[in-house]
Amino acid sequence: MPFLRGEISPPGDKSITHRALLFSSLVKGRVHIEHALLSGDTRSTAKALAKLGLSLNIDDQGAAATIDVVSPGIEKLRESILNESEMLQSTPINFDCGNSGTTTRLLAGLCAGLSGGVFRFDGDASLRSRDMSRILSPLQSMGCEVEYLGAQGYAPFQIKAKDLHSKDIDLKISSSQVSSALLLAGLVGVAQGGGRNCMTVSTPFTVRDHTFRLLKFMGANIEECGVNSYKVFSLASDLAPCRIVVPGDISSCAFFLSGAAVMPGSSLLLKGVGVNPGRILVMDTLARMGVSILKENSRLVCGEPVCDLHVQSTLGVRLRPCNIEAASIPSGIDEIPAIALAFAFADGRSVVSGAEELKHKESNRLRLIIENFANAGVRIEETSDGFFIEGSRTIAGGSFWRTNSDHRLAMLGMVASLAFERPLIIEEVDSAAVSYPGFSRDLAVLVNI
Ligand code: S3P
């Protein structure tokens, strides 16, 4: 079997790049974003901001882009959108969100607060199949007008932004996209003065808290108010210009981490990786399985914990099996496919439960994990809300690997193909560009035969 050796600086974090771009609209003046990810998804957010009237200057240096965003500030933005929509008699601003759920949901939260504006959201076939009622129903309950233009609950949809009422929302799903969308709506759309000028949003389990950390770093009035609960006060004035440095994306690193775990003799240094507590299931799980993962050079960057990760696997040592339950799924929601690869090589049965949300990503990831691994010869079985895998020393491979144009399945296929006895026939690999445009090149540099 080949192994992975070398050093890599992974591309900027997708979630944080989306937020840095979107939150720039709250600033009067310039936000300078360094090490931003420029990928299919974040380009969708950048294009949407240009439609809102912000100006963007992008210096694309491969995986790490520098983006300057200039905004007139939220009040001026609201006024110009209102004037435009009156002039054009409520002709909507149209957003094409492509494949990006984060763009759609966070942008809808922001736009719901721009009262007087009319906005339409649409995207590709995958985006049209993803539930949008999870953000639009709570936004409606705050006073936003929503019209579904196709199937109920899905894109395309239109929102007419109104002055929003303050609400305290206890979400039933642990989704950072939903919680972030509502916090943004509260920040921008709940009226100042008069009534209550704050709102709280909570989730059952811990989710990535990038929205809280970045808004706080930028000077917004937001605080933690209990476990998995945040309180945001409506924006009293525009935020000040600032510089944001985006950490490396742990979700992109996950494929290298689990690739190194299953290819004995691997040793990788992944530099400048964001290790937000709501994102570290992959590290914790591999460590529990016996993989050596050392954190070096730990620091805080714009409020986010960042470090270098040194991962090593030892020849002749089998990985221990491991179980993952509902409470920790949100902290690895995008990494379960990569974790499944490690489970496939473990010395015994590993179980994933409470992972229903995996059915509602860019593809039905639960289905694709089970189908692809089973075809490759892995002993995997579906359960009502997850799967279990009986690990094995060798896996045949040589099978067809379906991606359904899901970037994470494409990257997983490329790594799994190296670890299996025979290479996979991967449906396509171009979708990797949704989150990691240079993935196959970076992987090729690390592979040793
Ligand atoms: C994201 C949150 C997650 C994740 C997605 C990005 C974010 O979705 O799957 O890729 O940036 O907030 P949910 O929070 O809806 O689970």
Side-chain angles (χ1 to χ4, degrees), residues 14-15 19 102 105 134 174-177 208 333-334 357 361 408:
K14 182 156 82 69
S15 290
R19 285 160 174 78
T102 312
R105 293 179 174 133
R134 56 176 59 192
S174 294
S175 162
S176 161
Q177 291 185 349
R208 61 192 75 193
I333 188 71
D334 294 332
E357 269 297 300
K361 293 295 169 185
R408 304 222 186 267

Coordinates of all heavy atoms in Angstrom, one line a residue, residues 14-15 19 102 105 134 174-177 208 333-334 357 361 408, ligand 1:
K14 N -13.9 27.0 4.5 CA -15.0 27.3 3.6 C -16.1 28.1 4.5 O -16.6 29.1 4.1 CB -15.6 26.1 3.0 CG -16.8 26.3 2.1 CD -17.0 25.2 1.1 CE -17.7 24.0 1.7 NZ -19.2 24.2 2.0
S15 N -16.4 27.5 5.7 CA -17.4 28.1 6.5 C -17.0 29.6 6.9 O -17.8 30.5 6.9 CB -17.6 27.3 7.8 OG -18.2 26.1 7.5
R19 N -18.6 33.4 6.0 CA -19.0 34.4 7.0 C -18.2 35.7 6.9 O -18.8 36.7 7.0 CB -18.8 33.7 8.4 CG -19.9 32.7 8.7 CD -19.4 31.8 9.8 NE -20.5 30.9 10.2 CZ -20.9 29.7 9.6 NH1 -20.3 29.4 8.4 NH2 -21.8 29.0 10.1
T102 N -24.7 26.9 2.4 CA -24.3 27.9 3.4 C -24.6 29.3 2.8 O -25.2 30.2 3.5 CB -22.8 27.8 3.7 OG1 -22.5 26.5 4.0 CG2 -22.5 28.7 4.9
R105 N -28.6 29.8 2.9 CA -29.2 29.9 4.2 C -28.7 31.2 5.0 O -29.5 31.9 5.5 CB -29.0 28.7 5.1 CG -29.7 27.5 4.4 CD -29.5 26.2 5.2 NE -30.3 25.1 4.6 CZ -29.9 23.9 4.3 NH1 -28.6 23.6 4.6 NH2 -30.7 23.0 3.8
R134 N -36.3 24.9 7.0 CA -35.6 24.9 8.3 C -35.2 26.3 8.7 O -35.0 26.7 9.8 CB -34.5 23.9 8.4 CG -33.5 24.1 7.3 CD -32.3 23.1 7.4 NE -32.7 21.7 7.4 CZ -31.9 20.7 7.8 NH1 -30.6 21.0 8.2 NH2 -32.2 19.5 7.8
S174 N -29.5 20.4 15.2 CA -28.3 21.1 15.6 C -27.6 21.5 14.3 O -26.7 20.8 13.8 CB -27.4 20.1 16.4 OG -28.0 19.9 17.6
S175 N -28.0 22.6 13.7 CA -27.5 23.1 12.5 C -26.9 24.5 12.7 O -27.6 25.4 13.1 CB -28.6 23.2 11.4 OG -28.2 24.0 10.3
S176 N -25.6 24.6 12.3 CA -25.0 25.9 12.4 C -25.5 26.9 11.4 O -25.5 28.1 11.6 CB -23.5 25.7 12.3 OG -22.8 26.9 12.0
Q177 N -25.8 26.3 10.2 CA -26.3 27.2 9.1 C -27.6 27.8 9.6 O -27.8 29.0 9.4 CB -26.6 26.3 7.9 CG -25.3 25.8 7.2 CD -25.6 25.1 5.9 OE1 -26.7 24.8 5.6 NE2 -24.6 24.8 5.1
R208 N -20.6 24.2 15.2 CA -19.5 25.1 14.9 C -19.9 26.5 15.3 O -21.0 26.9 14.9 CB -19.0 25.0 13.5 CG -20.0 25.4 12.5 CD -19.6 25.0 11.0 NE -19.7 23.6 10.8 CZ -19.2 22.9 9.8 NH1 -18.6 23.6 8.8 NH2 -19.3 21.6 9.6
I333 N -20.0 16.6 11.0 CA -21.1 16.4 10.0 C -20.5 16.2 8.6 O -21.0 15.4 7.8 CB -22.2 17.4 10.1 CG1 -23.4 17.1 9.2 CG2 -21.7 18.8 9.8 CD1 -24.2 16.0 9.7
D334 N -19.4 17.0 8.3 CA -18.9 16.9 6.9 C -17.7 15.9 6.8 O -17.2 15.6 5.8 CB -18.3 18.3 6.5 CG -19.5 19.3 6.3 OD1 -20.6 18.9 6.0 OD2 -19.2 20.5 6.6
E357 N -29.0 13.6 9.7 CA -28.7 14.8 8.9 C -27.8 14.5 7.7 O -27.9 15.3 6.7 CB -28.0 15.8 9.8 CG -28.9 16.8 10.5 CD -29.7 17.7 9.6 OE1 -29.1 18.4 8.8 OE2 -31.0 17.6 9.6
K361 N -27.5 16.5 2.9 CA -26.3 17.3 2.5 C -26.3 17.5 1.0 O -27.3 17.3 0.4 CB -25.0 16.7 3.0 CG -24.9 16.8 4.5 CD -24.8 18.2 5.0 CE -25.0 18.4 6.5 NZ -25.1 19.8 6.9
R408 N -17.4 16.0 -1.4 CA -16.8 15.2 -0.3 C -16.7 13.7 -0.7 O -15.7 13.1 -0.4 CB -17.5 15.4 1.0 CG -17.6 16.9 1.4 CD -17.3 17.2 2.8 NE -17.6 18.6 3.1 CZ -16.6 19.5 3.1 NH1 -15.4 19.3 2.8 NH2 -17.0 20.8 3.3
Ligands
S3P1 C1 -21.9 24.7 7.7 C2 -22.5 23.9 8.6 C3 -22.9 22.5 8.3 C4 -22.0 21.9 7.3 C5 -21.9 22.8 6.1 C6 -21.3 24.2 6.5 C7 -21.7 26.1 8.1 O1 -24.2 22.4 8.0 O2 -22.5 20.7 6.9 O3 -21.0 22.2 5.1 O4 -20.8 26.8 7.4 O5 -22.3 26.6 9.0 P1 -25.4 22.4 9.1 O6 -25.0 23.3 10.1 O7 -26.6 22.7 8.4 O8 -25.3 20.9 9.6

